[in-house]
Amino acid sequence: MKRLQFSFDTTVHYSAPVTGHQLALRCMPMTDAVQHLETCTVTIEPAPLPQPLRDGFGNTVYWYSALEPHTALRYAAVGVAAVDKRRADEAFPNPAFRCHGLRTKPGRTLLQVSSAMPKAGTYEAAEALCHAVHSLLQYTPGVTDTTTTAEAALRGGIGVCQDYAQVFVALARLAGWSARYCMGLSVGEGATHAWAEIYYKGHWHGFDPTRDCAADERYLRFGVGRDSADCPVEQGIFFGSAAQSQSIRMRVTEL
C-alpha cells in the first residue's frame, strides 16, 4: 500500500470572453476498492462548485456550468489517496470493457497485428502484450491528438501515452481480455498520463506500455473507460470565438 499526495491544477485561458460554458470535469481521483481518498479539496472558478456525480464507469464527474462571461477557467484538486493493490476488486468487470469504444475499434492494421499477439490466459501473456505495444510505437509528441484512434496510431507507428494505452487496450480485447483505458497521474511532475488495465483472476492489473512497465501503486486513476473518449479530463462547449491556451501544474509524491 502507498499513500500518495497529489496536486492537480489546470487553468484554461481564452483570448476573448466566452459564455454559457457547460462542462464535464474529471479532476479528482476515483474512489473504489483499490483507491481510497483520505482527503481531497476541489476548486472550480469562476462559477460555484457543483455536487460530484458518478458516470457509468464509476468516474467522479463535476457537471459544471459557467454562464456569465469569463476569460479563464480554473479547476484544481489537492489531497491524499491510499492505493492498495492487495484489496479485492469487483467480482465481475463491467461487460463494456470487452467492447471496443469510439477510438479502439479495430481496423485492418490492428487485426493483422493481433493475429501475432499472445491470447488471453496468463499474466505473462499480458506482460508480453505490454512489451510488444511498447516496441510497435515510437514516442513522438505533437503528431497525434485527442481524437486519434488506436488504428491510426498503430498504422503510423507513432504517438504519445494516450495512443500507447489505446493500442494496448484494443489488442487486449482482440486477444480475449476485459481491458480498460486509464487516465490519471503517476508519481512525479508534469501532465496527466494514460495507461491500461487488464482484468485477471478477480483483479485489475495495470500496464504502462509507454514506459514498458507495470502500473503499480504509484499510479492514481482519475478516470477509466473503453478508451479516451469515455474519460477526458475536460469535455464541453461554450459560446464565443476565442483562442485557448492552458497552464498545467500536476504533481504526485509518496508519503
Side-chain angles (χ1 to χ4, degrees), residues 4 30 35 55 68-69 72 74 82-83 87 103 121 125 131 135 160 164 171 173 185 201 203 252:
L4 305 177
M30 300 175 64
Q35 290 188 179
D55 64 16
E68 299 301 319
R74 177 177 178 260
V83 183
R87 295 174 183 159
R103 295 174 189 154
H131 298 326
S135 68
V160 292
Y164 281 81
L171 291 173
R173 293 193 187 117
L185 302 176
K201 290 189 174 181
H203 295 272
V252 178

Side-chain angles (χ1 to χ4, degrees), residues 44-177:
I44 299 176
E45 299 173 346
L49 178 70
Q51 289 296 313
L53 299 172
R54 287 202 176 195
D55 64 16
F57 297 105
N59 305 315
T60 301
V61 184
Y62 288 92
W63 299 100
Y64 173 77
S65 296
L67 304 181
E68 299 301 319
H70 54 282
T71 56
L73 168 71
R74 177 177 178 260
Y75 49 93
V78 294
V80 175
V83 183
D84 191 347
K85 292 285 189 179
R86 299 169 299 178
R87 295 174 183 159
D89 286 313
E90 53 198 305
F92 300 99
N94 187 330
F97 294 131
R98 282 192 172 271
C99 302
H100 297 290
L102 179 68
R103 295 174 189 154
T104 44
K105 182 179 179 181
R108 181 179 300 176
T109 306
L110 277 165
L111 291 171
Q112 182 178 6
V113 171
S114 174
S115 65
M117 294 291 107
K119 300 303 179 184
T122 65
Y123 183 84
E124 288 71 25
E127 285 184 311
L129 180 59
C130 182
H131 298 326
V133 173
H134 179 75
S135 68
L136 288 168
L137 298 177
Q138 180 178 354
Y139 191 89
T140 312
V143 295
T144 58
D145 58 31
T146 57
T147 65
T148 302
T149 64
E151 175 71 16
L154 183 59
R155 186 169 58 246
I158 51 179
V160 292
C161 61
Q162 174 180 295
D163 305 297
Y164 281 81
Q166 290 187 151
V167 170
F168 179 94
V169 164
L171 291 173
R173 293 193 187 117
L174 288 171
W177 299 99

Side-chain angles (χ1 to χ4, degrees), residues 219-242:
Y219 287 69
L220 192 56
R221 284 174 288 112
F222 278 61
V224 300
R226 293 166 298 173
D227 53 35
S228 63
D230 288 334
C231 54
V233 175
E234 174 192 328
Q235 184 177 37
I237 59 171
F238 59 79
F239 294 102
S241 178

